[in-house]
Amino acid sequence: IRFNALGQVFKTRSGQTEALRDVSFDVAHHEFLAILGPSGCGKSTLLRMIAGLLMPTCGNVEVFGMPVTGPRDDIGIVFQKPTLLPWATVEDNIVFPVRHKTGHVSPRDRERAQELLAMVGLEGFGKRLPDELSGGMQQRVGIARALHMDPDILLMDEPFSALDALTREVMGFDLLRIFAEKPKTVVFITHSVSEAALLADRVLVMSGRPGTVGSEHIVPIRRP
Ligand code: ADP
Ligand code: ADP
């Protein structure tokens, strides 16, 4: 990923909001980059740009050497709140993207959904409805859904922020185990310094107070 956004300005009712200014960084293949920074400094905006959900007002974003022009199948996203379809079972939620893309779900797709459920510690929960699961469990389903398309890049926007401290820690270790099995390029937004230190190869610290934005500072992390 080559990120080079000189600026992002949103038009609002009261005028304009600047969401991002002069943020440039690269993410290497299979690197885990964590992004820390105060609320409003533009972290979500940045992630939406990598996902192809938003174009920078000025600057450009490249993935695999090509400019990002829109959403793509090889980039998965996990949002802060679980965004599961409430009327669909856990398993149907996980295979939803593949159904959306190809129009049908193969037995292999369902088998893979079961494997991913086991991987995120939810074996046997495939036939449940999202409402029957706790917040932490629903967030795990969201991760399984993002992994089901086997994306090369996984973007995560404060995926654990709604969870209690212990669940966060367990989920952090789960992620490390999942990526040890199958490495991916990950961009992970968090408010937790310890989570960033546990998970990331590098941490990007964004500065700025709400409504304005400074530039970035990269801190390499050396794992023991
Ligand atoms: P963070 O994720 O770091 O909290 P965001 O990327 O969500 O920050 O937002 C950065 C700034 O841009 C904030 O001031 C926010 O209010 C503003 N902003 C984000 N999205 C929009 C939008 N669609 N329209 C107007 N302002 C926006
Ligand atoms: P949250 O922190 O969002 O409330 P947790 O993930 O900590 O949710 O789980 C809360 C409840 O769900 C606990 O009672 C826990 O025992 C149960 N639970 C969580 N994961 C599983 C699982 N894999 N199998 C069975 N029960 C689970």
Side-chain angles (χ1 to χ4, degrees), residues 120-123 125 134-137 140 162-164 167:
V120 297
L122 290 175
E123 199 156 18
F125 283 85
S134 73
M137 295 161 85
R140 289 163 195 262
L163 310 178
D164 63 85
T167 308

Short mmCIF file of all heavy atoms in Angstrom, two decimals, residues 120-123 125 134-137 140 162-164 167, ligand 2:
data_model
loop_
_atom_site.label_atom_id
_atom_site.label_comp_id
_atom_site.label_asym_id
_atom_site.label_seq_id
_atom_site.Cartn_x
_atom_site.Cartn_y
_atom_site.Cartn_z
N VAL A 120 -12.12 -18.39 14.90
CA VAL A 120 -12.37 -17.25 15.80
C VAL A 120 -13.05 -17.69 17.10
O VAL A 120 -13.58 -16.87 17.85
CB VAL A 120 -13.20 -16.13 15.10
CG1 VAL A 120 -12.45 -15.55 13.91
CG2 VAL A 120 -14.59 -16.64 14.67
N GLY A 121 -13.03 -19.00 17.36
CA GLY A 121 -13.52 -19.51 18.65
C GLY A 121 -15.03 -19.60 18.76
O GLY A 121 -15.58 -19.53 19.85
N LEU A 122 -15.71 -19.77 17.61
CA LEU A 122 -17.18 -19.83 17.65
C LEU A 122 -17.71 -21.09 16.95
O LEU A 122 -18.77 -21.04 16.32
CB LEU A 122 -17.78 -18.58 16.98
CG LEU A 122 -17.62 -17.27 17.75
CD1 LEU A 122 -18.15 -16.10 16.93
CD2 LEU A 122 -18.34 -17.34 19.09
N GLU A 123 -17.00 -22.18 17.13
CA GLU A 123 -17.43 -23.44 16.54
C GLU A 123 -18.84 -23.75 17.04
O GLU A 123 -19.14 -23.61 18.23
CB GLU A 123 -16.47 -24.55 16.97
CG GLU A 123 -16.55 -25.75 16.08
CD GLU A 123 -15.25 -26.55 16.13
OE1 GLU A 123 -14.47 -26.37 17.09
OE2 GLU A 123 -15.05 -27.36 15.22
N PHE A 125 -21.62 -22.17 16.33
CA PHE A 125 -22.54 -21.03 16.41
C PHE A 125 -23.12 -20.61 15.06
O PHE A 125 -23.83 -19.62 14.96
CB PHE A 125 -21.85 -19.83 17.06
CG PHE A 125 -21.72 -19.94 18.56
CD1 PHE A 125 -20.66 -20.61 19.13
CD2 PHE A 125 -22.68 -19.38 19.38
CE1 PHE A 125 -20.55 -20.73 20.51
CE2 PHE A 125 -22.58 -19.49 20.76
CZ PHE A 125 -21.51 -20.18 21.33
N SER A 134 -23.02 -12.33 22.09
CA SER A 134 -22.55 -11.12 22.76
C SER A 134 -21.84 -10.23 21.75
O SER A 134 -21.52 -10.65 20.63
CB SER A 134 -21.56 -11.50 23.87
OG SER A 134 -20.33 -11.91 23.29
N GLY A 135 -21.56 -9.00 22.18
CA GLY A 135 -20.86 -8.05 21.32
C GLY A 135 -19.52 -8.59 20.83
O GLY A 135 -19.18 -8.46 19.65
N GLY A 136 -18.79 -9.20 21.76
CA GLY A 136 -17.48 -9.75 21.40
C GLY A 136 -17.59 -10.86 20.38
O GLY A 136 -16.79 -10.96 19.44
N MET A 137 -18.61 -11.70 20.56
CA MET A 137 -18.81 -12.81 19.62
C MET A 137 -19.22 -12.28 18.24
O MET A 137 -18.77 -12.77 17.21
CB MET A 137 -19.86 -13.78 20.18
CG MET A 137 -19.38 -14.47 21.47
SD MET A 137 -20.74 -15.17 22.43
CE MET A 137 -20.94 -16.75 21.67
N ARG A 140 -16.29 -11.12 16.41
CA ARG A 140 -15.54 -12.25 15.84
C ARG A 140 -16.18 -12.71 14.53
O ARG A 140 -15.48 -13.10 13.59
CB ARG A 140 -15.55 -13.44 16.81
CG ARG A 140 -14.69 -13.24 18.02
CD ARG A 140 -15.09 -14.25 19.09
NE ARG A 140 -14.52 -13.84 20.37
CZ ARG A 140 -13.39 -14.34 20.85
NH1 ARG A 140 -12.75 -15.27 20.20
NH2 ARG A 140 -12.92 -13.90 21.98
N ALA A 162 -15.46 -1.63 21.40
CA ALA A 162 -16.67 -1.78 22.20
C ALA A 162 -16.55 -2.91 23.24
O ALA A 162 -17.50 -3.17 23.97
CB ALA A 162 -17.87 -2.05 21.28
N LEU A 163 -15.41 -3.56 23.29
CA LEU A 163 -15.28 -4.73 24.14
C LEU A 163 -14.57 -4.40 25.46
O LEU A 163 -13.82 -3.43 25.54
CB LEU A 163 -14.48 -5.82 23.40
CG LEU A 163 -14.96 -6.12 21.98
CD1 LEU A 163 -14.07 -7.17 21.34
CD2 LEU A 163 -16.41 -6.60 22.01
N ASP A 164 -14.79 -5.25 26.46
CA ASP A 164 -14.09 -5.05 27.73
C ASP A 164 -12.61 -5.42 27.58
O ASP A 164 -12.22 -6.10 26.64
CB ASP A 164 -14.76 -5.87 28.83
CG ASP A 164 -14.66 -7.35 28.52
OD1 ASP A 164 -13.64 -7.97 28.86
OD2 ASP A 164 -15.60 -7.88 27.91
N THR A 167 -11.64 -9.20 27.02
CA THR A 167 -12.03 -9.70 25.70
C THR A 167 -11.11 -9.13 24.62
O THR A 167 -10.70 -9.83 23.71
CB THR A 167 -13.49 -9.31 25.40
OG1 THR A 167 -14.29 -9.73 26.49
CG2 THR A 167 -14.00 -10.00 24.13
P1 ADP B 2 -18.74 -9.14 25.46
O1 ADP B 2 -17.46 -8.73 26.09
O2 ADP B 2 -18.98 -8.48 24.16
O3 ADP B 2 -19.93 -9.03 26.37
P2 ADP B 2 -17.67 -11.87 25.30
O4 ADP B 2 -17.06 -12.25 24.02
O5 ADP B 2 -16.75 -11.59 26.45
O6 ADP B 2 -18.67 -10.68 25.08
O7 ADP B 2 -18.63 -13.03 25.75
C1 ADP B 2 -19.64 -12.83 26.70
C2 ADP B 2 -20.35 -14.12 26.99
O8 ADP B 2 -20.39 -14.98 25.85
C3 ADP B 2 -19.67 -14.90 28.09
O9 ADP B 2 -20.66 -15.44 28.93
C4 ADP B 2 -18.92 -15.98 27.36
O10 ADP B 2 -18.81 -17.14 28.17
C5 ADP B 2 -19.79 -16.24 26.16
N1 ADP B 2 -18.93 -16.67 25.06
C6 ADP B 2 -18.01 -15.93 24.40
N2 ADP B 2 -17.36 -16.63 23.47
C7 ADP B 2 -17.90 -17.89 23.55
C8 ADP B 2 -17.67 -19.13 22.85
N3 ADP B 2 -16.73 -19.23 21.89
N4 ADP B 2 -18.41 -20.19 23.20
C9 ADP B 2 -19.32 -20.10 24.16
N5 ADP B 2 -19.59 -19.00 24.84
C10 ADP B 2 -18.90 -17.90 24.55
#
